[in-house]
Amino acid sequence: MGRTDPPSATSQLLELYRAMRLVREAEERLGALFADGEIPGFIHLSIGQEAVSVGVAAALQQHDTLASNHRGHGHAIAKGLDLDRFFLEILGKRDGYCRGRGGSMHVADMTVGMLGANGIVGAGLPIAVGSALAHKLRRTGHIAVVFFGDGAMAEGVLHESLNLAQLWTLPVLFVCENNGWSEFTEAARQLATDPQRMAAAYSMRALQVDGNDVVAVAAAARMAVAQIRAGEGPCLLECKTRRVRGHYEGDAQKYRDAGDIATALRNDPLVRCEVQAIAAGAPQETIDAIKAEIADRVDAAVATARSGAPPAPVDAFADVYSPTHELPS
Amino acid sequence: MSEVRFGQAINRALIDAMTADPSVILLGEDVARPGGPFGVTRGLLDKFGPERVRDTPISEAAITGAAVGAAMTGLRPIVEIMFMDFVTLTMDALVNQAAKARFMFGGQSSVPMVVRMPHGGGINAGPQHSQCLEAWLAHVPGLKVVCPATVADAYSLTRAAIVDDDPVIVIEHKALYAAKGELADSPTATPIGRARIAREGRDATIVTYGAMVSVALAAAVELAQDGVEADVIDLRSLQPWDEATVLASLTRTHRLIICHEAVEAFGIGAEIAARMADVGFDELDAPIVRVGAPFMPPPFAKTLEDWYRPDAAKIVAAVKKTMS
Ligand SMILES: Cc1ncc(C[n+]2csc(CCOP(=O)(O)OP(=O)(O)O)c2C)c(N)n1
Ligand SMILES: [Mg+2]
């Protein structure tokens, strides 16, 4: 190559860019596959919110555990899931992460601590709290993270979970991905207060960050994670962002005015990161090379997924229960 | 062998399980310092310390959900829900999370957790503290449900539930906690899914579980005075349930009565009756009869509750109905 290594700030920006590019490319392909009828069910894309999943994941280690929600593709990919098995699952194939039983809303990979996307709003919170309890009691040194939307702030179990985590000083990071909407209703018409005040009500540390600035998210997450790892208890990180696509693919967003979507588009976290990287001295061709490389990776994963075998009903019974084992005497 | 109370047998099972496996922890309201609302967890805090024996806030949804996350991260949590009626607040964690994780994630994770909860009436606790809701849980693929009737099973089913890799609900009848019975000096776990023949007879099969086992046995004694010998089957496990043992008994007796304290409609008895009407149709000499609570919430007043809960007389009448 003959080129000298870019300075570390630039290489860090490029790493974050690469990770966001992967989420974006994967989700754009999912959107296209869905439109073409190749994905059964329904999918929720996080396009425009990639800085949240990627910025937080930048602060995590492989065996930190993560509980996600219905808009979880970014969380999963950023945590390091294998792209082939990810696409295989969402296309409903036998060799997918969940053997075709879960789909978009249930992608999980225990080998990288990804405890699952979740179809139930708010349900990831107590799971992360319990995972954090296990980390604490087993002295693993790891932490648990949960991603949830502004809509989840109205669920009762969220409040029980914040209280319990703070009461027991558990190593858990609560990431509120505040995109201003839950389904077809604005957050302002659902919440009597805001995430910062809710955290304060439980005496929990809270941070608020521009969720479309991946560098800012990563910095805030690193700070929060360092304190959590040091045993100082949980933290709520609110990332202010904006949903770009519909609640699910196929949602015409008639309830939303065009200006809101246009604002979100202008604030694209990938464009912002690209501009920052170039300003920091990254050559345009490096960025273009990343785009091409990621597009190739996603192409390959999609091809693998398309050619994957469908799951057989006879295999489905295998995992309703664990294999039976001998009882101790 | 020694004589202990039902609640003490569970206490001993918890102690033995926690001694054998440091990943077993206990979560629940008033389980640590107070020793449990029914005294079942007495002494555990002193033995195992506050990390493993934890008083929780009144947050059934969060502690049950937390048990799911803890189970997926290397612990074997045991949650105590103070009254089974409060299981309503844990339903998402049980039904959508614990029960489905293994299946939904393609076999990647087990959820080895136990949720203990007392059901049933007999202490005039009223409509929100007396229900028998086990059919709800037995209806959910991925959950196992056990319900001990004896001191020995209180120990052995609790041990089995704790070593099981799947979520197991242990239903304890609150009126049994003080009951006395024999416990072996070195008791062991018993396999989940096997029924026990509590009494052998040739004329009719009474299938039951939990606190109704002793009621059915009393009915059998009464019936024997009239020359009717009833087989009494204690299911012990409701999900999975021991279809083979019930069918084998039906094949001997040709008459089937199913009894539970839960309301009769849409209950465990309905499932057993439907299966036996299918696989045991040729064996039946009479229609299958169910004995359960009437279709109403459990009432409070002593006169009402006594009337509401199935008793030996109702079982005797049901058996006689199959003979007439
Ligand atoms: C318990 C529950 N209630 C309702 C729904 C239906 N639902 C799915 S996503 C959603 C909105 C969630 O909004 P938010 O938490 O802000 O996440 P976002 O979609 O904005 O990422 C709703 C109401 C659900 N899946 N689970
Ligand atoms: Mg939202």
Side-chain angles (χ1 to χ4, degrees), chain A residues 139-165:
Chain A
R139 297 178 170 75
T140 64
H142 300 304
I143 71 161
V145 180
V146 54
F147 289 92
F148 53 94
D150 44 287
M153 303 283 326
E155 284 285 2
V157 75
L158 175 140
H159 295 270
E160 292 186 12
S161 299
L162 295 183
N163 180 58
L164 194 59

mmCIF file of all heavy atoms in Angstrom, chain A residues 139-165:
data_model
loop_
_atom_site.group_PDB
_atom_site.id
_atom_site.type_symbol
_atom_site.label_atom_id
_atom_site.label_comp_id
_atom_site.label_asym_id
_atom_site.label_seq_id
_atom_site.Cartn_x
_atom_site.Cartn_y
_atom_site.Cartn_z
ATOM 1 N N ARG A 139 -18.950 -12.225 39.267
ATOM 2 C CA ARG A 139 -17.722 -11.437 39.161
ATOM 3 C C ARG A 139 -17.039 -11.600 37.806
ATOM 4 O O ARG A 139 -15.841 -11.844 37.697
ATOM 5 C CB ARG A 139 -16.770 -11.791 40.311
ATOM 6 C CG ARG A 139 -17.402 -11.427 41.641
ATOM 7 C CD ARG A 139 -16.621 -11.759 42.871
ATOM 8 N NE ARG A 139 -17.261 -11.135 44.035
ATOM 9 C CZ ARG A 139 -18.377 -11.571 44.611
ATOM 10 N NH1 ARG A 139 -18.987 -12.645 44.167
ATOM 11 N NH2 ARG A 139 -18.889 -10.938 45.637
ATOM 12 N N THR A 140 -17.838 -11.470 36.766
ATOM 13 C CA THR A 140 -17.302 -11.628 35.410
ATOM 14 C C THR A 140 -16.552 -10.380 34.957
ATOM 15 O O THR A 140 -15.792 -10.433 34.005
ATOM 16 C CB THR A 140 -18.438 -11.856 34.394
ATOM 17 O OG1 THR A 140 -19.268 -10.680 34.358
ATOM 18 C CG2 THR A 140 -19.297 -13.056 34.756
ATOM 19 N N GLY A 141 -16.816 -9.252 35.600
ATOM 20 C CA GLY A 141 -16.226 -7.997 35.136
ATOM 21 C C GLY A 141 -16.969 -7.403 33.949
ATOM 22 O O GLY A 141 -16.614 -6.336 33.454
ATOM 23 N N HIS A 142 -18.001 -8.097 33.495
ATOM 24 C CA HIS A 142 -18.749 -7.593 32.350
ATOM 25 C C HIS A 142 -19.951 -6.773 32.806
ATOM 26 O O HIS A 142 -20.313 -6.782 33.981
ATOM 27 C CB HIS A 142 -19.211 -8.758 31.472
ATOM 28 C CG HIS A 142 -18.066 -9.547 30.955
ATOM 29 N ND1 HIS A 142 -17.039 -8.990 30.233
ATOM 30 C CD2 HIS A 142 -17.752 -10.867 31.086
ATOM 31 C CE1 HIS A 142 -16.159 -9.915 29.933
ATOM 32 N NE2 HIS A 142 -16.553 -11.066 30.443
ATOM 33 N N ILE A 143 -20.541 -6.108 31.847
ATOM 34 C CA ILE A 143 -21.737 -5.321 32.149
ATOM 35 C C ILE A 143 -22.850 -5.745 31.189
ATOM 36 O O ILE A 143 -22.607 -6.457 30.216
ATOM 37 C CB ILE A 143 -21.491 -3.801 32.026
ATOM 38 C CG1 ILE A 143 -21.309 -3.391 30.545
ATOM 39 C CG2 ILE A 143 -20.271 -3.368 32.828
ATOM 40 C CD1 ILE A 143 -21.529 -1.912 30.301
ATOM 41 N N ALA A 144 -24.053 -5.307 31.484
ATOM 42 C CA ALA A 144 -25.192 -5.555 30.594
ATOM 43 C C ALA A 144 -25.674 -4.210 30.048
ATOM 44 O O ALA A 144 -25.561 -3.181 30.716
ATOM 45 C CB ALA A 144 -26.321 -6.247 31.353
ATOM 46 N N VAL A 145 -26.171 -4.262 28.831
ATOM 47 C CA VAL A 145 -26.692 -3.062 28.177
ATOM 48 C C VAL A 145 -28.072 -3.385 27.634
ATOM 49 O O VAL A 145 -28.313 -4.503 27.177
ATOM 50 C CB VAL A 145 -25.789 -2.651 26.992
ATOM 51 C CG1 VAL A 145 -26.332 -1.401 26.308
ATOM 52 C CG2 VAL A 145 -24.370 -2.425 27.443
ATOM 53 N N VAL A 146 -28.961 -2.416 27.694
ATOM 54 C CA VAL A 146 -30.264 -2.616 27.051
ATOM 55 C C VAL A 146 -30.599 -1.380 26.221
ATOM 56 O O VAL A 146 -30.399 -0.249 26.657
ATOM 57 C CB VAL A 146 -31.375 -2.931 28.081
ATOM 58 C CG1 VAL A 146 -31.465 -1.889 29.178
ATOM 59 C CG2 VAL A 146 -32.729 -3.067 27.372
ATOM 60 N N PHE A 147 -31.052 -1.631 25.017
ATOM 61 C CA PHE A 147 -31.551 -0.562 24.144
ATOM 62 C C PHE A 147 -33.079 -0.578 24.176
ATOM 63 O O PHE A 147 -33.692 -1.641 24.035
ATOM 64 C CB PHE A 147 -31.121 -0.805 22.692
ATOM 65 C CG PHE A 147 -29.652 -0.598 22.440
ATOM 66 C CD1 PHE A 147 -28.763 -1.667 22.530
ATOM 67 C CD2 PHE A 147 -29.160 0.654 22.087
ATOM 68 C CE1 PHE A 147 -27.405 -1.484 22.281
ATOM 69 C CE2 PHE A 147 -27.810 0.841 21.830
ATOM 70 C CZ PHE A 147 -26.922 -0.227 21.931
ATOM 71 N N PHE A 148 -33.669 0.598 24.318
ATOM 72 C CA PHE A 148 -35.127 0.687 24.262
ATOM 73 C C PHE A 148 -35.507 2.054 23.721
ATOM 74 O O PHE A 148 -34.708 2.988 23.734
ATOM 75 C CB PHE A 148 -35.748 0.464 25.649
ATOM 76 C CG PHE A 148 -35.186 1.363 26.718
ATOM 77 C CD1 PHE A 148 -35.807 2.560 27.041
ATOM 78 C CD2 PHE A 148 -34.025 1.008 27.384
ATOM 79 C CE1 PHE A 148 -35.276 3.396 28.020
ATOM 80 C CE2 PHE A 148 -33.483 1.836 28.361
ATOM 81 C CZ PHE A 148 -34.113 3.037 28.677
ATOM 82 N N GLY A 149 -36.737 2.163 23.252
ATOM 83 C CA GLY A 149 -37.184 3.420 22.672
ATOM 84 C C GLY A 149 -37.842 4.331 23.693
ATOM 85 O O GLY A 149 -38.057 3.958 24.848
ATOM 86 N N ASP A 150 -38.159 5.535 23.238
ATOM 87 C CA ASP A 150 -38.895 6.471 24.088
ATOM 88 C C ASP A 150 -40.248 5.873 24.493
ATOM 89 O O ASP A 150 -40.722 6.077 25.605
ATOM 90 C CB ASP A 150 -39.118 7.801 23.350
ATOM 91 C CG ASP A 150 -39.549 7.570 21.914
ATOM 92 O OD1 ASP A 150 -38.701 7.160 21.102
ATOM 93 O OD2 ASP A 150 -40.746 7.755 21.621
ATOM 94 N N GLY A 151 -40.830 5.089 23.607
ATOM 95 C CA GLY A 151 -42.134 4.494 23.903
ATOM 96 C C GLY A 151 -42.079 3.576 25.111
ATOM 97 O O GLY A 151 -43.033 3.489 25.894
ATOM 98 N N ALA A 152 -40.958 2.896 25.300
ATOM 99 C CA ALA A 152 -40.827 1.959 26.421
ATOM 100 C C ALA A 152 -40.832 2.672 27.766
ATOM 101 O O ALA A 152 -41.093 2.054 28.802
ATOM 102 C CB ALA A 152 -39.547 1.138 26.263
ATOM 103 N N MET A 153 -40.554 3.987 27.736
ATOM 104 C CA MET A 153 -40.529 4.721 29.010
ATOM 105 C C MET A 153 -41.901 4.734 29.688
ATOM 106 O O MET A 153 -42.009 5.049 30.866
ATOM 107 C CB MET A 153 -40.069 6.173 28.810
ATOM 108 C CG MET A 153 -38.723 6.368 28.166
ATOM 109 S SD MET A 153 -37.180 6.133 29.111
ATOM 110 C CE MET A 153 -37.485 6.655 30.745
ATOM 111 N N ALA A 154 -42.938 4.390 28.948
ATOM 112 C CA ALA A 154 -44.276 4.375 29.548
ATOM 113 C C ALA A 154 -44.657 3.000 30.089
ATOM 114 O O ALA A 154 -45.738 2.837 30.660
ATOM 115 C CB ALA A 154 -45.307 4.839 28.515
ATOM 116 N N GLU A 155 -43.796 2.009 29.904
ATOM 117 C CA GLU A 155 -44.106 0.660 30.390
ATOM 118 C C GLU A 155 -43.751 0.522 31.871
ATOM 119 O O GLU A 155 -42.666 0.936 32.302
ATOM 120 C CB GLU A 155 -43.325 -0.399 29.595
ATOM 121 C CG GLU A 155 -43.893 -0.676 28.208
ATOM 122 C CD GLU A 155 -45.175 -1.512 28.229
ATOM 123 O OE1 GLU A 155 -45.668 -1.862 29.317
ATOM 124 O OE2 GLU A 155 -45.676 -1.801 27.125
ATOM 125 N N GLY A 156 -44.626 -0.126 32.616
ATOM 126 C CA GLY A 156 -44.410 -0.286 34.051
ATOM 127 C C GLY A 156 -43.121 -1.008 34.392
ATOM 128 O O GLY A 156 -42.400 -0.625 35.315
ATOM 129 N N VAL A 157 -42.802 -2.046 33.619
ATOM 130 C CA VAL A 157 -41.639 -2.860 33.969
ATOM 131 C C VAL A 157 -40.355 -2.060 33.813
ATOM 132 O O VAL A 157 -39.347 -2.351 34.461
ATOM 133 C CB VAL A 157 -41.615 -4.164 33.131
ATOM 134 C CG1 VAL A 157 -41.178 -3.907 31.694
ATOM 135 C CG2 VAL A 157 -40.723 -5.213 33.787
ATOM 136 N N LEU A 158 -40.374 -1.017 32.993
ATOM 137 C CA LEU A 158 -39.194 -0.161 32.877
ATOM 138 C C LEU A 158 -38.906 0.490 34.222
ATOM 139 O O LEU A 158 -37.764 0.536 34.679
ATOM 140 C CB LEU A 158 -39.413 0.900 31.797
ATOM 141 C CG LEU A 158 -38.293 1.941 31.668
ATOM 142 C CD1 LEU A 158 -38.023 2.258 30.203
ATOM 143 C CD2 LEU A 158 -38.624 3.217 32.429
ATOM 144 N N HIS A 159 -39.958 0.948 34.864
ATOM 145 C CA HIS A 159 -39.767 1.650 36.135
ATOM 146 C C HIS A 159 -39.315 0.686 37.230
ATOM 147 O O HIS A 159 -38.445 1.011 38.032
ATOM 148 C CB HIS A 159 -41.039 2.416 36.482
ATOM 149 C CG HIS A 159 -41.297 3.493 35.466
ATOM 150 N ND1 HIS A 159 -40.811 4.757 35.595
ATOM 151 C CD2 HIS A 159 -41.902 3.440 34.252
ATOM 152 C CE1 HIS A 159 -41.135 5.469 34.521
ATOM 153 N NE2 HIS A 159 -41.799 4.685 33.696
ATOM 154 N N GLU A 160 -39.889 -0.496 37.247
ATOM 155 C CA GLU A 160 -39.423 -1.507 38.208
ATOM 156 C C GLU A 160 -37.940 -1.804 37.973
ATOM 157 O O GLU A 160 -37.170 -1.991 38.914
ATOM 158 C CB GLU A 160 -40.223 -2.808 38.034
ATOM 159 C CG GLU A 160 -41.684 -2.700 38.435
ATOM 160 C CD GLU A 160 -42.389 -4.055 38.384
ATOM 161 O OE1 GLU A 160 -41.710 -5.098 38.254
ATOM 162 O OE2 GLU A 160 -43.633 -4.076 38.474
ATOM 163 N N SER A 161 -37.564 -1.854 36.706
ATOM 164 C CA SER A 161 -36.187 -2.230 36.362
ATOM 165 C C SER A 161 -35.196 -1.139 36.744
ATOM 166 O O SER A 161 -34.106 -1.429 37.255
ATOM 167 C CB SER A 161 -36.079 -2.531 34.868
ATOM 168 O OG SER A 161 -36.923 -3.610 34.526
ATOM 169 N N LEU A 162 -35.553 0.112 36.484
ATOM 170 C CA LEU A 162 -34.652 1.213 36.869
ATOM 171 C C LEU A 162 -34.473 1.216 38.383
ATOM 172 O O LEU A 162 -33.357 1.339 38.900
ATOM 173 C CB LEU A 162 -35.210 2.558 36.400
ATOM 174 C CG LEU A 162 -35.327 2.806 34.889
ATOM 175 C CD1 LEU A 162 -35.844 4.220 34.632
ATOM 176 C CD2 LEU A 162 -34.021 2.588 34.159
ATOM 177 N N ASN A 163 -35.576 1.059 39.088
ATOM 178 C CA ASN A 163 -35.516 1.064 40.549
ATOM 179 C C ASN A 163 -34.619 -0.062 41.070
ATOM 180 O O ASN A 163 -33.738 0.146 41.908
ATOM 181 C CB ASN A 163 -36.934 0.927 41.115
ATOM 182 C CG ASN A 163 -36.956 0.922 42.630
ATOM 183 O OD1 ASN A 163 -36.492 1.864 43.267
ATOM 184 N ND2 ASN A 163 -37.478 -0.151 43.219
ATOM 185 N N LEU A 164 -34.835 -1.258 40.527
ATOM 186 C CA LEU A 164 -34.083 -2.424 41.000
ATOM 187 C C LEU A 164 -32.590 -2.281 40.694
ATOM 188 O O LEU A 164 -31.731 -2.565 41.539
ATOM 189 C CB LEU A 164 -34.652 -3.677 40.319
ATOM 190 C CG LEU A 164 -34.266 -5.026 40.882
ATOM 191 C CD1 LEU A 164 -34.684 -5.153 42.335
ATOM 192 C CD2 LEU A 164 -34.917 -6.152 40.064
ATOM 193 N N ALA A 165 -32.281 -1.820 39.492
ATOM 194 C CA ALA A 165 -30.872 -1.684 39.095
ATOM 195 C C ALA A 165 -30.143 -0.683 39.981
ATOM 196 O O ALA A 165 -28.999 -0.905 40.398
ATOM 197 C CB ALA A 165 -30.781 -1.258 37.632
#
